[in-house]
Amino acid sequence: MRVLLTGGAGYIGSHTALALLNAGYDVVVLDNLSNSSPEAFRRVEALTGKKAPLIIGDCTDGDTVRAVFENHGPIDAVIHFAGLKAVGESVEKPLDYYQNNLDATMALCRVMPEYGCRALVFSSSATVYGVTQEMPLREDFPTGCTNPYGWTKWISERILTDVAKADPSRSFVLLRYFNPIGAHESGRIGEDPAGIPNNLMPYICQVASGKLDHLRVFGNDYPTRDGTGERDYIHVMDLAEGHLAALDYALKNSGVEVFNLGTGTPYSVLDIVRAFEEANGLTIPYEITPRRPGDIAVCYADASRARDVLHWQAKRDLKQMCRDAWNWQKHNPRGYGDK
Ligand code: NAD
Ligand code: WQD
């Protein structure tokens, strides 16, 4: 069974590639390396002892995608990670985000049937739920977004739904990820953000390593247990394993299905700081600052649908997420070093 991973050199893609190779799948990666390093993929090969071609190219270009199917087929399924993902940047450069993220989805939709490939797993996001009061979030809740990045996920979900409606032989699984953190247990692959991290865990890791001075906690006046924002953090290897379950489902079924991939447990920013300190025996200096514009108070999943239908649930706890995040940072202070 051979699977094409678009964006497979990135954070979630590289961890999923590792899980797929270890499970006996053949993997082909198409990545333009706009936010990743080929070193990630070399390490995946070293960790698994298996070879997987990394094709450096753009997924928005139909001919490039076609050449991958032509030269590296037969491809049985696609996991589509490729996309730009920085919320703030998407507000500044909306056209770049719409063009990259939507053209990539559409190019795949066009080329796959030319090669008889009908199954695709899509990286969507909890951000498509927009601002809603009711928690935990269930897949059938209303959707809507607050920034261009989110809309690219929302519109991609729409495109895939319409394409599957027009051709019922297709099989698309839309995965709405919550907050992936952590790294593979080996510490050889992990998250390598360019510049100053936007997200909480990579920021904490850089404070722990001394690269950044202290954490700014964005607001302690939310209506939550301790006043700081609560999120559903999920270990990236649990997320990777969720893709294996989704892939299996996509190959055996047709139509469109949506699943939350989260743990169902919310943790506050201060919970994360404390858990990181305890797991790693370190102190994370922080100050409370005003809220970050666009943030919501609480966001966590009802994870029961993935459990009941995909027979998957997250296994790794917060301590392990914190330990593995630091293990990666500690051993790779410059990330993959060549970005
Ligand atoms: P990432 O940036 O590490 O990985 C994305 C990869 O896609 C990168 O390697 C990048 O080089 C590649 N890419 C981007 N545009 C491309 C194109 N046109 N052609 C080929 N390759 C291209 O991000 P990630 O955290 O691994 O996220 C993977 C997917 O999951 C993304 O679609 C992201 O939007 C989605 N997602 C991420 C999170 C998160 O918090 N990390 C949460 C929800 C959803
Ligand atoms: C988590 C919590 C912050 C940094 C983002 C995207 C979302 C998805 C995942 C792709 C919040 C607080 C953070 C810091 C802080 N990506 N925080 N100080 O905002 O839940 O989600 O990544 O789909 O679309 O919006 O994640 O890690 O940025 O923030 O206090 O320096 O940590 O306010 O409460 P977020 P995050």
Side-chain angles (χ1 to χ4, degrees):
M1 187 70 66
R2 183 165 303 164
V3 188
L4 168 62
L5 307 194
T6 72
Y11 173 45
I12 304 168
S14 57
H15 288 78
T16 305
L18 184 145
L20 285 166
L21 289 166
N22 279 340
Y25 289 90
D26 290 329
V27 166
V28 179
V29 170
L30 172 62
D31 199 304
N32 64 5
L33 303 183
S34 59
N35 195 37
S36 52
S37 160
E39 176 62 15
F41 220 71
R42 281 194 283 275
R43 293 191 189 183
V44 167
E45 289 185 326
L47 284 165
T48 58
K50 296 191 177 154
K51 288 270 165 217
L54 165 61
I55 296 111
I56 299 170
D58 208 298
C59 187
T60 60
D61 178 37
D63 288 338
T64 301
V65 177
R66 211 165 271 119
V68 174
F69 274 85
E70 197 67 46
N71 300 327
H72 299 276
I75 289 168
D76 302 289
V78 176
I79 306 183
H80 178 32
F81 297 103
L84 299 173
K85 65 163 182 177
V87 172
E89 187 184 59
S90 81
V91 176
E92 285 156 29
K93 301 176 181 172
L95 285 174
D96 290 358
Y97 272 68
Y98 284 115
Q99 186 167 340
N100 189 72
N101 293 3
L102 299 182
D103 284 359
T105 301
M106 289 191 288
L108 285 167
C109 283
R110 284 194 194 284
V111 175
M112 286 172 63
E114 295 172 21
Y115 294 86
C117 182
R118 30 167 238 103
L120 178 139
V121 175
F122 176 64
S123 296
S124 189
S125 168
T127 196
V128 300
Y129 290 112
V131 181
T132 163
Q133 299 299 318
E134 210 187 327
M135 294 288 156
L137 293 162
R138 256 201 351 252
E139 289 86 347
D140 59 350
F141 279 11
T143 53
C145 302
T146 54
N147 58 72
Y149 164 73
W151 284 114
T152 69
K153 293 297 173 191
W154 191 94
I155 298 168
S156 284
E157 286 198 0
R158 189 70 251 159
I159 291 169
L160 291 165
T161 304
D162 288 340
V163 168
K165 211 179 278 173
D167 177 358
S169 74
R170 297 214 190 200
S171 177
F172 297 148
V173 175
L174 317 181
L175 298 179
R176 293 178 180 161
Y177 312 154
F178 282 69
N179 288 55
I181 59 171
H184 185 251
E185 289 80 351
S186 65
R188 296 289 295 152
I189 57 170
E191 186 170 12
D192 183 15
I196 296 175
N198 295 314
N199 297 115
L200 179 64
M201 184 55 87
Y203 203 102
I204 289 179
C205 285
Q206 295 200 9
V207 171
S209 72
K211 245 179 159 176
L212 296 168
D213 187 52
H214 67 282
L215 173 69
R216 286 172 302 146
V217 175
F218 297 142
N220 67 347
D221 56 352
Y222 286 106
T224 59
R225 280 177 293 117
D226 63 20
T228 66
E230 293 180 356
R231 297 289 184 276
D232 186 338
Y233 298 93
I234 176 168
H235 195 296
V236 67
M237 284 310 299
D238 277 324
L239 196 67
E241 288 162 11
H243 288 76
L244 266 69
L247 179 64
D248 190 49
Y249 185 91
L251 287 164
K252 290 180 180 152
N253 293 277
S254 56
V256 178
E257 292 291 342
V258 186
F259 297 100
N260 288 336
L261 292 188
T263 65
T265 305
Y267 288 108
S268 74
V269 178
L270 294 180
D271 288 336
I272 300 295
V273 170
R274 262 181 245 111
F276 188 93
E277 291 181 331
E278 274 167 31
N280 299 310
L282 294 162
T283 301
I284 302 297
Y286 68 85
E287 65 164 332
I288 308 290
T289 67
R291 294 180 180 191
R292 181 171 64 179
D295 271 356
I296 52 173
V298 184
C299 175
Y300 65 101
D302 178 332
S304 57
R305 188 152 198 277
R307 182 197 62 211
D308 296 343
V309 180
L310 297 181
H311 311 295
W312 166 90
Q313 56 185 325
K315 297 192 294 255
R316 295 161 179 88
D317 63 11
L318 184 58
K319 186 175 182 186
Q320 190 164 354
M321 298 184 216
C322 292
R323 212 174 43 211
D324 290 338
W326 176 235
N327 187 39
W328 152 255
Q329 174 75 39
K330 188 171 58 179
H331 290 110
N332 305 271
R334 291 176 54 242
Y336 293 112
D338 60 355
K339 274 215 291 201

